[in-house]
Amino acid sequence: MQNNAILLQNLTVEQLQQLIGTSVRNGIIELQKELQSKDNSEELMTRDETCQFLKIDSSTLWAWTNNGKVKAYGIGARRYYKKSEIMECLTQLKK
């Protein structure tokens, strides 16, 4: 604590403002990343929602599921897809 007090005494007002601004920005960026990862990782989508998300027909989703390209989770006759896993399936195309 004593070292921090000495360090702050040697800072100009502008340097202190910049230090606080940088710390706040970094904190906000970390919080955004954390919230995005939590939202995407656990969000379940229905078949229709997944088709709309990927802009594909339900027969394409059915084929991709049967071929193991995407994972489906089920309860009874209902099928669900994890948004994070769908995002992981997407691959960048080479130009």
Side-chain angles (χ1 to χ4, degrees):
M1 282 279 212
Q2 190 68 17
N3 288 340
N4 290 340
I6 294 170
L7 177 65
L8 291 177
Q9 288 178 352
N10 294 331
L11 291 177
T12 65
V13 172
E14 292 82 17
Q15 290 172 326
L16 181 59
Q17 288 173 335
Q18 185 178 12
L19 182 64
I20 292 170
T22 301
S23 296
V24 169
R25 269 191 297 281
N26 290 342
I28 290 171
I29 290 170
E30 287 299 315
L31 179 61
Q32 286 175 331
K33 286 179 185 177
E34 185 178 327
L35 290 175
Q36 286 174 348
S37 68
K38 284 183 180 179
D39 288 345
N40 288 338
S41 65
E42 297 304 318
E43 184 177 350
L44 292 176
M45 299 187 298
T46 64
R47 287 183 218 182
D48 289 338
E49 290 170 337
T50 305
C51 289
Q52 289 173 358
F53 179 72
L54 293 172
K55 296 181 173 85
I56 59 173
D57 189 72
S58 59
S59 62
T60 303
L61 182 60
W62 179 84
W64 288 355
T65 304
N66 284 341
N67 292 334
K69 290 183 180 182
V70 294
K71 288 183 188 177
Y73 299 88
I75 299 175
R78 297 201 178 261
R79 296 290 172 255
Y80 298 96
Y81 298 84
K82 285 186 179 179
K83 189 172 186 178
S84 62
E85 291 179 358
I86 297 296
M87 294 299 294
E88 288 173 10
C89 292
L90 298 175
T91 58
Q92 183 177 3
L93 299 175
K94 295 180 182 179
K95 290 187 176 188

